Amino acid sequence: MTKSAPTKTGSTKTTCPYCGVGCGVSAQRATGRQAVIAGDDTHPANYGRLCSKGSMLGETIGMEKRLLHPVHRGKRIGWCEALDEMARRFSDTIERHGPDAVAFYVSGQLLTEDYYVANKLMKGFIGSGNIDTNSRLCMSSAVAGHKRAFGEDVVPGCYEDFEEADLVVLVGSNTAWCHPILYRRLLEAKEKRGTRIVVIDPRRTATCDDADLHLAVSPGADLALFNTLFCELHARGAADTAFVSAHTEGLDDALAMAATGRGSLASAAGACGLDENDLETFIRWFAETERTVTLFSQGINQSEKGVDQVNAIINCHLLTGRVGRPGMGPFSMTGQPNAMGGREVGGLAGQLAAHLEFSGEACDLLSRFWGTDRLTTKPGRKAVDMFDAMADGKIKAVWIMATNPAVSLPDSNRVRAALERCEFVVLSDCVEGTDTAIYADMLLPAAAWGEKNGTVTNSERRISRQRAFLDRPGEARPDWWMVSELARRMGFADAFSYDGPADIFREHAALSAFENNGSRVFDIGALAGLSEEDYDALQPVQWPIRRNAAGSARLFGLGEFPTATGRAKFVGTPVSASSPDRNFPLVLNSGRIRDQWHTMTRTGLSVTLSANELEPFVEIHPDDARARNIGDGHLVRLETEQGQAVARARIAPGQRRGSLFMPIHWSDMNSAAGAVGRLVHPLTDPVSGQPAFKNTNVRLGPLEPVWHAFFLTRTEIATAGFGYWTRRRIEAGYLYELAGLSDGERSPEMDALAGPPLEGDEVIEMRDDTLGSLRTARLNQGRLMSCLMLSGNGRLPSRDWLAGLFASGVLDDEMRRALLSGQSASGKPQGPVVCACMGVRADTIVDAIAEHALTNVKEVGECTGAGTNCGSCRADIRKLIDERQREEAA
Ligand code: SF4
């Protein structure tokens, strides 16, 4: 382990707060709350690169929407009062109903130190297992799969494996968008060594553009596919028999289960919805390629058979002996920046701290280490179950930390009802006004990224420091402090007398080594004695980091596993049939888009990141759209047994017939009905409790709005009464997309959103009653203040040029003349931002392609800069090249 002081150049080295790649960030303070953000070129996850989301962190650290003070039932109060009230309510509830009547619902956004104290308080001193995390939604199936196969929740590989592999299989992962920097490393390796890439995903994503083979597997058929691979590898003699006999157990049973009902390769291909030749190619490549990595992510984990799917993948790697050696292994990619850190400290309800299980021995060990006789000896409720218990009145007080379950949990109407019923809801967050905040009795202002100190662990087990470089505004406080203060007031002061995150980290590290003796792989005992200075200077380091022993980037390569027998386990993974639902004939999948993060409470503040997608949308196969008379850009309604949503149709030939895709990011904060969580069924995996977000039965139908409009304004407007609305940030203002879904709804014209002129205002207007159109703009001292474009037939001008006028200051004569036409005097549309990192719009790329006869993404990058940073826009650039080539050929 090496340590060094933080940079002497005035910048602070920290870690990106978004995805599980865990990129190092260099933040240079500028004036006020501004900072210049760059990739940390010394960080081993990213070596200086950042994706669009990381690059735009500087646009999200201002004061907009910050929660600054504790608030109790709408009234600002002081910290002492807030914490006293919390202690009273939690203590009373425990006294009257027992410890299981309270819960903490925490987040992969928390730092390890925050997580550690929250888990210690709930499991160790309140005496309930009721702490669970939103990481339950993203990778708990991987956790359970690892434990079943390896005996402990351990990712055996590292990012370098993607550079040393000859075959990389990406399953249920749009890596190009969701983990762009790791993907970029993979593409560079492909260029150097010709790595083959196979993508397994029901829909054609941006990741498929670079794939040598895309297997558009039927939704839910991943298990059948990997069972087929497992059987075929065995039948074709691809097993590493020496490894299997020396280091594994359970092969015969697992094989028998995988082979149940097995027919020909053609029938297996049919069952998976694949072409037989493609399936054969995949099996052959996997069989013949020693250096194979299989990355799996939410597409595998978010299923009611997620854990079995994880084990089916691991079975193939165990059979071929490809685990924990350079360029090979199963690799679980986590969604959040500190999902792994949460796993280390027992943030999941079914796990104790430091990877200890709920055994008598482990409970004894932990009780002695923490000095408590109140430790719970049984697991608590997992996320969905926890909110069900609130709905049933069993959980009466909950503290939600740094997450937005009213949007992100499945069946979110029920979640909202549960929060409504819960007697005492506390929410600590750095932003105000989230969908969850509506239900909170107590709001606590948390420190945000850039203001917090602590550690996070990324997907390759690498612990990195998050360091503060901004002052905490208002009364914002770190989460660990809030938890410790509550613990003190509940009578546990001695166990929570921390003087800072380093103090907590030392205890966490010491616990990992306490009576460990090699029985648990998670051991960071070498860090237990860090001084404050050492902690401040801690360099990114992968666990295990045992005392007096070197750490390791890879694990299990020698065939030693932390199971009772020391052998890895093949796990039988039976396939069960599911039947279609005639009332809801389509299957809804949900996931991330390129430039947004979770419920957009932070990335939604960035003008640059908001420029790529205007509205919640649903991708539909052309045949499914045609059958329902739905055209590209139409508004549609989606309905499930759980609820409804309205979104803009996007006709996508890359969708499978019968499948839809909707992004997860929209909420009631920024749309009328774009929250996909209202649609998703509450089914969970029976082992992991992870919700099955990927396959909700749904029906779809067109809407026929009576009017369409968009409204540009410098200030937010109230949206109640609009049938359809969405809002996004633009430079110096907001863009609202609006539509009237039925007569009698609020209309921007009726409502006079453009408003009566105020003093000094100038209103210009163009109206055509026969077409039902109205175009009106308000200027003040020559500056555009607001602009409404309304149409009865949906024909509206481009938003980009008008939106750009908000940042232009005083409009010149030409701009004023062109204003109500909605386009510049040249008539040339700008098009949306394609490359968020470099700020390159579609029109610039299209012009460059035409002018310089560019034929590939690399040439476009050399000419315009687009796609040269994180590369997650490469697929969009390629589409523009293809469109141009099609136009030329026509
Ligand atoms: Fe952040 Fe992007 Fe790196 Fe993920 S890939 S950690 S979002 S910069």
Side-chain angles (χ1 to χ4, degrees), residues 15-25 45-46 49-55 57 177-183 333 335 337 594 597 870:
T15 313
C16 176
Y18 298 128
C19 85
V21 178
C23 295
V25 171
N46 58 316
R49 287 213 171 94
L50 294 175
C51 76
S52 55
K53 295 182 282 288
S55 300
L57 275 164
W177 282 11
C178 300
H179 299 101
I181 297 304
L182 180 62
Y183 188 67
M333 197 65 207
R594 196 187 75 189
W597 178 256
C870 75

PDB file of all heavy atoms in Angstrom, residues 15-25 45-46 49-55 57 177-183 333 335 337 594 597 870, ligand 1:
ATOM      1  N   THR A  15     -13.633  11.249  -5.582  1.00  0.00           N
ATOM      2  CA  THR A  15     -14.182  10.164  -6.409  1.00  0.00           C
ATOM      3  C   THR A  15     -15.558  10.565  -6.917  1.00  0.00           C
ATOM      4  O   THR A  15     -16.342  11.188  -6.194  1.00  0.00           O
ATOM      5  CB  THR A  15     -14.302   8.871  -5.572  1.00  0.00           C
ATOM      6  OG1 THR A  15     -13.093   8.671  -4.868  1.00  0.00           O
ATOM      7  CG2 THR A  15     -14.551   7.661  -6.453  1.00  0.00           C
ATOM      8  N   CYS A  16     -15.866  10.183  -8.138  1.00  0.00           N
ATOM      9  CA  CYS A  16     -17.170  10.496  -8.745  1.00  0.00           C
ATOM     10  C   CYS A  16     -18.292   9.858  -7.919  1.00  0.00           C
ATOM     11  O   CYS A  16     -18.176   8.718  -7.477  1.00  0.00           O
ATOM     12  CB  CYS A  16     -17.193   9.966 -10.180  1.00  0.00           C
ATOM     13  SG  CYS A  16     -18.788  10.187 -10.991  1.00  0.00           S
ATOM     14  N   PRO A  17     -19.410  10.575  -7.743  1.00  0.00           N
ATOM     15  CA  PRO A  17     -20.490  10.040  -6.906  1.00  0.00           C
ATOM     16  C   PRO A  17     -21.536   9.241  -7.674  1.00  0.00           C
ATOM     17  O   PRO A  17     -22.595   8.942  -7.125  1.00  0.00           O
ATOM     18  CB  PRO A  17     -21.132  11.312  -6.362  1.00  0.00           C
ATOM     19  CG  PRO A  17     -20.996  12.291  -7.490  1.00  0.00           C
ATOM     20  CD  PRO A  17     -19.694  11.965  -8.173  1.00  0.00           C
ATOM     21  N   TYR A  18     -21.285   8.921  -8.913  1.00  0.00           N
ATOM     22  CA  TYR A  18     -22.344   8.253  -9.681  1.00  0.00           C
ATOM     23  C   TYR A  18     -22.116   6.736  -9.777  1.00  0.00           C
ATOM     24  O   TYR A  18     -22.364   6.027  -8.832  1.00  0.00           O
ATOM     25  CB  TYR A  18     -22.510   8.917 -11.052  1.00  0.00           C
ATOM     26  CG  TYR A  18     -22.921  10.379 -10.970  1.00  0.00           C
ATOM     27  CD1 TYR A  18     -22.217  11.370 -11.643  1.00  0.00           C
ATOM     28  CD2 TYR A  18     -24.016  10.775 -10.203  1.00  0.00           C
ATOM     29  CE1 TYR A  18     -22.592  12.697 -11.566  1.00  0.00           C
ATOM     30  CE2 TYR A  18     -24.400  12.103 -10.116  1.00  0.00           C
ATOM     31  CZ  TYR A  18     -23.689  13.063 -10.796  1.00  0.00           C
ATOM     32  OH  TYR A  18     -24.063  14.385 -10.718  1.00  0.00           O
ATOM     33  N   CYS A  19     -21.620   6.242 -10.880  1.00  0.00           N
ATOM     34  CA  CYS A  19     -21.730   4.789 -11.087  1.00  0.00           C
ATOM     35  C   CYS A  19     -20.626   4.004 -10.386  1.00  0.00           C
ATOM     36  O   CYS A  19     -19.685   4.547  -9.831  1.00  0.00           O
ATOM     37  CB  CYS A  19     -21.778   4.458 -12.576  1.00  0.00           C
ATOM     38  SG  CYS A  19     -20.171   4.304 -13.357  1.00  0.00           S
ATOM     39  N   GLY A  20     -20.745   2.685 -10.484  1.00  0.00           N
ATOM     40  CA  GLY A  20     -19.837   1.783  -9.777  1.00  0.00           C
ATOM     41  C   GLY A  20     -18.450   1.665 -10.365  1.00  0.00           C
ATOM     42  O   GLY A  20     -17.615   0.929  -9.827  1.00  0.00           O
ATOM     43  N   VAL A  21     -18.160   2.373 -11.473  1.00  0.00           N
ATOM     44  CA  VAL A  21     -16.774   2.350 -11.976  1.00  0.00           C
ATOM     45  C   VAL A  21     -15.870   3.009 -10.931  1.00  0.00           C
ATOM     46  O   VAL A  21     -14.753   2.563 -10.697  1.00  0.00           O
ATOM     47  CB  VAL A  21     -16.658   3.067 -13.341  1.00  0.00           C
ATOM     48  CG1 VAL A  21     -15.202   3.074 -13.808  1.00  0.00           C
ATOM     49  CG2 VAL A  21     -17.528   2.380 -14.392  1.00  0.00           C
ATOM     50  N   GLY A  22     -16.384   4.070 -10.292  1.00  0.00           N
ATOM     51  CA  GLY A  22     -15.617   4.712  -9.215  1.00  0.00           C
ATOM     52  C   GLY A  22     -14.433   5.509  -9.710  1.00  0.00           C
ATOM     53  O   GLY A  22     -13.308   5.355  -9.222  1.00  0.00           O
ATOM     54  N   CYS A  23     -14.664   6.401 -10.669  1.00  0.00           N
ATOM     55  CA  CYS A  23     -13.557   7.158 -11.268  1.00  0.00           C
ATOM     56  C   CYS A  23     -13.001   8.205 -10.307  1.00  0.00           C
ATOM     57  O   CYS A  23     -13.749   8.859  -9.579  1.00  0.00           O
ATOM     58  CB  CYS A  23     -14.047   7.877 -12.524  1.00  0.00           C
ATOM     59  SG  CYS A  23     -14.548   6.757 -13.833  1.00  0.00           S
ATOM     60  N   GLY A  24     -11.705   8.399 -10.378  1.00  0.00           N
ATOM     61  CA  GLY A  24     -11.060   9.448  -9.605  1.00  0.00           C
ATOM     62  C   GLY A  24     -11.301  10.796 -10.268  1.00  0.00           C
ATOM     63  O   GLY A  24     -11.264  10.926 -11.493  1.00  0.00           O
ATOM     64  N   VAL A  25     -11.556  11.804  -9.431  1.00  0.00           N
ATOM     65  CA  VAL A  25     -11.880  13.148  -9.909  1.00  0.00           C
ATOM     66  C   VAL A  25     -10.901  14.127  -9.284  1.00  0.00           C
ATOM     67  O   VAL A  25     -10.542  13.998  -8.112  1.00  0.00           O
ATOM     68  CB  VAL A  25     -13.326  13.536  -9.495  1.00  0.00           C
ATOM     69  CG1 VAL A  25     -13.622  15.000  -9.777  1.00  0.00           C
ATOM     70  CG2 VAL A  25     -14.341  12.640 -10.199  1.00  0.00           C
ATOM     71  N   ALA A  45      -8.837   3.512 -11.742  1.00  0.00           N
ATOM     72  CA  ALA A  45     -10.106   3.144 -12.393  1.00  0.00           C
ATOM     73  C   ALA A  45     -10.251   3.846 -13.735  1.00  0.00           C
ATOM     74  O   ALA A  45     -10.819   3.285 -14.673  1.00  0.00           O
ATOM     75  CB  ALA A  45     -11.294   3.491 -11.496  1.00  0.00           C
ATOM     76  N   ASN A  46      -9.760   5.080 -13.839  1.00  0.00           N
ATOM     77  CA  ASN A  46     -10.075   5.876 -15.035  1.00  0.00           C
ATOM     78  C   ASN A  46      -8.882   6.570 -15.663  1.00  0.00           C
ATOM     79  O   ASN A  46      -8.995   7.062 -16.783  1.00  0.00           O
ATOM     80  CB  ASN A  46     -11.150   6.923 -14.703  1.00  0.00           C
ATOM     81  CG  ASN A  46     -10.764   7.865 -13.582  1.00  0.00           C
ATOM     82  OD1 ASN A  46     -10.240   7.439 -12.553  1.00  0.00           O
ATOM     83  ND2 ASN A  46     -11.026   9.137 -13.761  1.00  0.00           N
ATOM     84  N   ARG A  49      -9.767   9.920 -17.216  1.00  0.00           N
ATOM     85  CA  ARG A  49     -10.989  10.102 -18.015  1.00  0.00           C
ATOM     86  C   ARG A  49     -12.219  10.240 -17.129  1.00  0.00           C
ATOM     87  O   ARG A  49     -12.288   9.662 -16.048  1.00  0.00           O
ATOM     88  CB  ARG A  49     -11.208   8.879 -18.892  1.00  0.00           C
ATOM     89  CG  ARG A  49     -10.258   8.801 -20.040  1.00  0.00           C
ATOM     90  CD  ARG A  49     -10.983   8.163 -21.217  1.00  0.00           C
ATOM     91  NE  ARG A  49     -10.177   8.256 -22.397  1.00  0.00           N
ATOM     92  CZ  ARG A  49      -9.366   7.288 -22.794  1.00  0.00           C
ATOM     93  NH1 ARG A  49      -9.287   6.173 -22.123  1.00  0.00           N
ATOM     94  NH2 ARG A  49      -8.649   7.452 -23.878  1.00  0.00           N
ATOM     95  N   LEU A  50     -13.206  10.952 -17.616  1.00  0.00           N
ATOM     96  CA  LEU A  50     -14.527  10.985 -16.982  1.00  0.00           C
ATOM     97  C   LEU A  50     -15.572  10.894 -18.080  1.00  0.00           C
ATOM     98  O   LEU A  50     -15.341  11.371 -19.201  1.00  0.00           O
ATOM     99  CB  LEU A  50     -14.738  12.297 -16.214  1.00  0.00           C
ATOM    100  CG  LEU A  50     -13.867  12.555 -14.992  1.00  0.00           C
ATOM    101  CD1 LEU A  50     -14.151  13.954 -14.442  1.00  0.00           C
ATOM    102  CD2 LEU A  50     -14.106  11.514 -13.906  1.00  0.00           C
ATOM    103  N   CYS A  51     -16.719  10.323 -17.769  1.00  0.00           N
ATOM    104  CA  CYS A  51     -17.813  10.324 -18.754  1.00  0.00           C
ATOM    105  C   CYS A  51     -18.562  11.649 -18.656  1.00  0.00           C
ATOM    106  O   CYS A  51     -18.202  12.535 -17.875  1.00  0.00           O
ATOM    107  CB  CYS A  51     -18.736   9.132 -18.531  1.00  0.00           C
ATOM    108  SG  CYS A  51     -19.850   9.335 -17.124  1.00  0.00           S
ATOM    109  N   SER A  52     -19.626  11.768 -19.429  1.00  0.00           N
ATOM    110  CA  SER A  52     -20.368  13.036 -19.465  1.00  0.00           C
ATOM    111  C   SER A  52     -20.864  13.401 -18.066  1.00  0.00           C
ATOM    112  O   SER A  52     -20.775  14.562 -17.650  1.00  0.00           O
ATOM    113  CB  SER A  52     -21.533  12.941 -20.449  1.00  0.00           C
ATOM    114  OG  SER A  52     -22.360  11.841 -20.148  1.00  0.00           O
ATOM    115  N   LYS A  53     -21.377  12.424 -17.328  1.00  0.00           N
ATOM    116  CA  LYS A  53     -21.937  12.740 -15.998  1.00  0.00           C
ATOM    117  C   LYS A  53     -20.833  13.239 -15.054  1.00  0.00           C
ATOM    118  O   LYS A  53     -21.005  14.240 -14.355  1.00  0.00           O
ATOM    119  CB  LYS A  53     -22.618  11.495 -15.401  1.00  0.00           C
ATOM    120  CG  LYS A  53     -23.831  11.047 -16.190  1.00  0.00           C
ATOM    121  CD  LYS A  53     -24.521   9.859 -15.558  1.00  0.00           C
ATOM    122  CE  LYS A  53     -23.814   8.549 -15.821  1.00  0.00           C
ATOM    123  NZ  LYS A  53     -23.923   8.033 -17.186  1.00  0.00           N
ATOM    124  N   GLY A  54     -19.708  12.533 -15.055  1.00  0.00           N
ATOM    125  CA  GLY A  54     -18.598  12.961 -14.198  1.00  0.00           C
ATOM    126  C   GLY A  54     -18.050  14.308 -14.629  1.00  0.00           C
ATOM    127  O   GLY A  54     -17.750  15.176 -13.795  1.00  0.00           O
ATOM    128  N   SER A  55     -17.930  14.513 -15.935  1.00  0.00           N
ATOM    129  CA  SER A  55     -17.358  15.769 -16.442  1.00  0.00           C
ATOM    130  C   SER A  55     -18.205  16.975 -16.046  1.00  0.00           C
ATOM    131  O   SER A  55     -17.696  18.078 -15.902  1.00  0.00           O
ATOM    132  CB  SER A  55     -17.272  15.728 -17.975  1.00  0.00           C
ATOM    133  OG  SER A  55     -16.463  14.671 -18.381  1.00  0.00           O
ATOM    134  N   LEU A  57     -19.941  17.409 -13.282  1.00  0.00           N
ATOM    135  CA  LEU A  57     -20.185  17.546 -11.844  1.00  0.00           C
ATOM    136  C   LEU A  57     -20.181  19.007 -11.405  1.00  0.00           C
ATOM    137  O   LEU A  57     -20.913  19.406 -10.505  1.00  0.00           O
ATOM    138  CB  LEU A  57     -19.136  16.753 -11.063  1.00  0.00           C
ATOM    139  CG  LEU A  57     -19.472  15.273 -10.869  1.00  0.00           C
ATOM    140  CD1 LEU A  57     -18.237  14.485 -10.457  1.00  0.00           C
ATOM    141  CD2 LEU A  57     -20.581  15.110  -9.835  1.00  0.00           C
ATOM    142  N   TRP A 177     -23.276   3.127 -21.933  1.00  0.00           N
ATOM    143  CA  TRP A 177     -23.944   4.272 -21.314  1.00  0.00           C
ATOM    144  C   TRP A 177     -23.882   4.237 -19.794  1.00  0.00           C
ATOM    145  O   TRP A 177     -23.824   5.280 -19.155  1.00  0.00           O
ATOM    146  CB  TRP A 177     -25.426   4.303 -21.730  1.00  0.00           C
ATOM    147  CG  TRP A 177     -25.642   4.827 -23.110  1.00  0.00           C
ATOM    148  CD1 TRP A 177     -24.693   5.065 -24.069  1.00  0.00           C
ATOM    149  CD2 TRP A 177     -26.891   5.179 -23.694  1.00  0.00           C
ATOM    150  NE1 TRP A 177     -25.284   5.537 -25.203  1.00  0.00           N
ATOM    151  CE2 TRP A 177     -26.618   5.613 -25.008  1.00  0.00           C
ATOM    152  CE3 TRP A 177     -28.207   5.157 -23.239  1.00  0.00           C
ATOM    153  CZ2 TRP A 177     -27.631   6.037 -25.876  1.00  0.00           C
ATOM    154  CZ3 TRP A 177     -29.216   5.578 -24.098  1.00  0.00           C
ATOM    155  CH2 TRP A 177     -28.920   6.015 -25.403  1.00  0.00           C
ATOM    156  N   CYS A 178     -23.929   3.050 -19.229  1.00  0.00           N
ATOM    157  CA  CYS A 178     -24.074   2.970 -17.771  1.00  0.00           C
ATOM    158  C   CYS A 178     -22.734   2.908 -17.045  1.00  0.00           C
ATOM    159  O   CYS A 178     -22.659   3.275 -15.876  1.00  0.00           O
ATOM    160  CB  CYS A 178     -24.934   1.766 -17.390  1.00  0.00           C
ATOM    161  SG  CYS A 178     -26.582   1.882 -18.106  1.00  0.00           S
ATOM    162  N   HIS A 179     -21.698   2.427 -17.709  1.00  0.00           N
ATOM    163  CA  HIS A 179     -20.360   2.361 -17.114  1.00  0.00           C
ATOM    164  C   HIS A 179     -19.344   2.771 -18.188  1.00  0.00           C
ATOM    165  O   HIS A 179     -18.467   1.991 -18.574  1.00  0.00           O
ATOM    166  CB  HIS A 179     -20.087   0.941 -16.587  1.00  0.00           C
ATOM    167  CG  HIS A 179     -21.064   0.519 -15.524  1.00  0.00           C
ATOM    168  ND1 HIS A 179     -22.131  -0.305 -15.764  1.00  0.00           N
ATOM    169  CD2 HIS A 179     -21.144   0.852 -14.208  1.00  0.00           C
ATOM    170  CE1 HIS A 179     -22.833  -0.479 -14.638  1.00  0.00           C
ATOM    171  NE2 HIS A 179     -22.257   0.212 -13.692  1.00  0.00           N
ATOM    172  N   PRO A 180     -19.462   4.012 -18.664  1.00  0.00           N
ATOM    173  CA  PRO A 180     -18.754   4.403 -19.890  1.00  0.00           C
ATOM    174  C   PRO A 180     -17.231   4.312 -19.814  1.00  0.00           C
ATOM    175  O   PRO A 180     -16.585   4.004 -20.818  1.00  0.00           O
ATOM    176  CB  PRO A 180     -19.177   5.858 -20.104  1.00  0.00           C
ATOM    177  CG  PRO A 180     -20.390   6.059 -19.279  1.00  0.00           C
ATOM    178  CD  PRO A 180     -20.294   5.105 -18.138  1.00  0.00           C
ATOM    179  N   ILE A 181     -16.665   4.590 -18.658  1.00  0.00           N
ATOM    180  CA  ILE A 181     -15.203   4.628 -18.627  1.00  0.00           C
ATOM    181  C   ILE A 181     -14.617   3.216 -18.657  1.00  0.00           C
ATOM    182  O   ILE A 181     -13.599   2.969 -19.325  1.00  0.00           O
ATOM    183  CB  ILE A 181     -14.719   5.430 -17.393  1.00  0.00           C
ATOM    184  CG1 ILE A 181     -15.195   6.889 -17.525  1.00  0.00           C
ATOM    185  CG2 ILE A 181     -13.212   5.346 -17.220  1.00  0.00           C
ATOM    186  CD1 ILE A 181     -14.768   7.608 -18.797  1.00  0.00           C
ATOM    187  N   LEU A 182     -15.251   2.281 -17.991  1.00  0.00           N
ATOM    188  CA  LEU A 182     -14.794   0.896 -18.109  1.00  0.00           C
ATOM    189  C   LEU A 182     -14.977   0.425 -19.554  1.00  0.00           C
ATOM    190  O   LEU A 182     -14.123  -0.271 -20.116  1.00  0.00           O
ATOM    191  CB  LEU A 182     -15.588  -0.009 -17.151  1.00  0.00           C
ATOM    192  CG  LEU A 182     -15.171  -1.474 -17.196  1.00  0.00           C
ATOM    193  CD1 LEU A 182     -13.724  -1.657 -16.770  1.00  0.00           C
ATOM    194  CD2 LEU A 182     -16.087  -2.325 -16.314  1.00  0.00           C
ATOM    195  N   TYR A 183     -16.085   0.830 -20.157  1.00  0.00           N
ATOM    196  CA  TYR A 183     -16.352   0.449 -21.552  1.00  0.00           C
ATOM    197  C   TYR A 183     -15.275   1.011 -22.473  1.00  0.00           C
ATOM    198  O   TYR A 183     -14.810   0.340 -23.393  1.00  0.00           O
ATOM    199  CB  TYR A 183     -17.733   0.975 -21.952  1.00  0.00           C
ATOM    200  CG  TYR A 183     -18.187   0.487 -23.302  1.00  0.00           C
ATOM    201  CD1 TYR A 183     -18.464  -0.853 -23.514  1.00  0.00           C
ATOM    202  CD2 TYR A 183     -18.335   1.372 -24.366  1.00  0.00           C
ATOM    203  CE1 TYR A 183     -18.886  -1.306 -24.748  1.00  0.00           C
ATOM    204  CE2 TYR A 183     -18.758   0.932 -25.600  1.00  0.00           C
ATOM    205  CZ  TYR A 183     -19.032  -0.410 -25.790  1.00  0.00           C
ATOM    206  OH  TYR A 183     -19.448  -0.860 -27.016  1.00  0.00           O
ATOM    207  N   MET A 333     -20.998  -5.938 -12.158  1.00  0.00           N
ATOM    208  CA  MET A 333     -20.776  -4.495 -12.229  1.00  0.00           C
ATOM    209  C   MET A 333     -21.847  -3.813 -11.401  1.00  0.00           C
ATOM    210  O   MET A 333     -23.043  -3.969 -11.665  1.00  0.00           O
ATOM    211  CB  MET A 333     -20.878  -4.062 -13.693  1.00  0.00           C
ATOM    212  CG  MET A 333     -20.279  -2.728 -13.948  1.00  0.00           C
ATOM    213  SD  MET A 333     -18.498  -2.706 -13.673  1.00  0.00           S
ATOM    214  CE  MET A 333     -18.301  -0.972 -13.265  1.00  0.00           C
ATOM    215  N   GLY A 335     -24.138  -0.770  -9.765  1.00  0.00           N
ATOM    216  CA  GLY A 335     -24.706   0.451 -10.326  1.00  0.00           C
ATOM    217  C   GLY A 335     -24.219   1.695  -9.631  1.00  0.00           C
ATOM    218  O   GLY A 335     -23.950   2.705 -10.262  1.00  0.00           O
ATOM    219  N   PRO A 337     -22.039   4.216  -6.666  1.00  0.00           N
ATOM    220  CA  PRO A 337     -20.634   4.458  -6.340  1.00  0.00           C
ATOM    221  C   PRO A 337     -20.164   3.697  -5.119  1.00  0.00           C
ATOM    222  O   PRO A 337     -18.983   3.369  -5.002  1.00  0.00           O
ATOM    223  CB  PRO A 337     -20.584   5.963  -6.082  1.00  0.00           C
ATOM    224  CG  PRO A 337     -21.965   6.348  -5.681  1.00  0.00           C
ATOM    225  CD  PRO A 337     -22.851   5.444  -6.488  1.00  0.00           C
ATOM    226  N   ARG A 594     -28.149   7.834 -21.138  1.00  0.00           N
ATOM    227  CA  ARG A 594     -26.721   8.131 -21.157  1.00  0.00           C
ATOM    228  C   ARG A 594     -26.297   9.212 -20.171  1.00  0.00           C
ATOM    229  O   ARG A 594     -25.301   9.061 -19.466  1.00  0.00           O
ATOM    230  CB  ARG A 594     -26.357   8.581 -22.582  1.00  0.00           C
ATOM    231  CG  ARG A 594     -24.901   8.576 -22.882  1.00  0.00           C
ATOM    232  CD  ARG A 594     -24.652   9.203 -24.235  1.00  0.00           C
ATOM    233  NE  ARG A 594     -24.778  10.657 -24.185  1.00  0.00           N
ATOM    234  CZ  ARG A 594     -24.785  11.435 -25.250  1.00  0.00           C
ATOM    235  NH1 ARG A 594     -24.724  10.910 -26.461  1.00  0.00           N
ATOM    236  NH2 ARG A 594     -24.880  12.746 -25.138  1.00  0.00           N
ATOM    237  N   TRP A 597     -28.738  10.467 -14.081  1.00  0.00           N
ATOM    238  CA  TRP A 597     -28.457   9.576 -12.969  1.00  0.00           C
ATOM    239  C   TRP A 597     -29.687   9.466 -12.082  1.00  0.00           C
ATOM    240  O   TRP A 597     -30.255  10.474 -11.658  1.00  0.00           O
ATOM    241  CB  TRP A 597     -27.263  10.107 -12.153  1.00  0.00           C
ATOM    242  CG  TRP A 597     -26.961   9.269 -10.964  1.00  0.00           C
ATOM    243  CD1 TRP A 597     -27.241   9.543  -9.663  1.00  0.00           C
ATOM    244  CD2 TRP A 597     -26.363   7.983 -10.971  1.00  0.00           C
ATOM    245  NE1 TRP A 597     -26.858   8.506  -8.865  1.00  0.00           N
ATOM    246  CE2 TRP A 597     -26.306   7.523  -9.652  1.00  0.00           C
ATOM    247  CE3 TRP A 597     -25.855   7.155 -11.995  1.00  0.00           C
ATOM    248  CZ2 TRP A 597     -25.778   6.295  -9.300  1.00  0.00           C
ATOM    249  CZ3 TRP A 597     -25.327   5.931 -11.643  1.00  0.00           C
ATOM    250  CH2 TRP A 597     -25.291   5.515 -10.310  1.00  0.00           C
ATOM    251  N   CYS A 870     -15.472  10.387 -23.226  1.00  0.00           N
ATOM    252  CA  CYS A 870     -15.879   9.080 -22.685  1.00  0.00           C
ATOM    253  C   CYS A 870     -16.360   8.148 -23.773  1.00  0.00           C
ATOM    254  O   CYS A 870     -16.367   6.930 -23.607  1.00  0.00           O
ATOM    255  CB  CYS A 870     -16.952   9.254 -21.618  1.00  0.00           C
ATOM    256  SG  CYS A 870     -18.597   9.648 -22.236  1.00  0.00           S
TER     257      CYS A 870
HETATM  258 FE1  SF4 B   1     -18.603   8.768 -12.788  1.00  0.00          FE
HETATM  259 FE2  SF4 B   1     -18.857   8.252 -15.386  1.00  0.00          FE
HETATM  260 FE3  SF4 B   1     -16.762   7.315 -14.045  1.00  0.00          FE
HETATM  261 FE4  SF4 B   1     -19.178   6.306 -13.656  1.00  0.00          FE
HETATM  262  S1  SF4 B   1     -17.972   6.196 -15.562  1.00  0.00           S
HETATM  263  S2  SF4 B   1     -17.715   6.843 -12.056  1.00  0.00           S
HETATM  264  S3  SF4 B   1     -20.469   8.107 -13.847  1.00  0.00           S
HETATM  265  S4  SF4 B   1     -17.221   9.452 -14.426  1.00  0.00           S
END
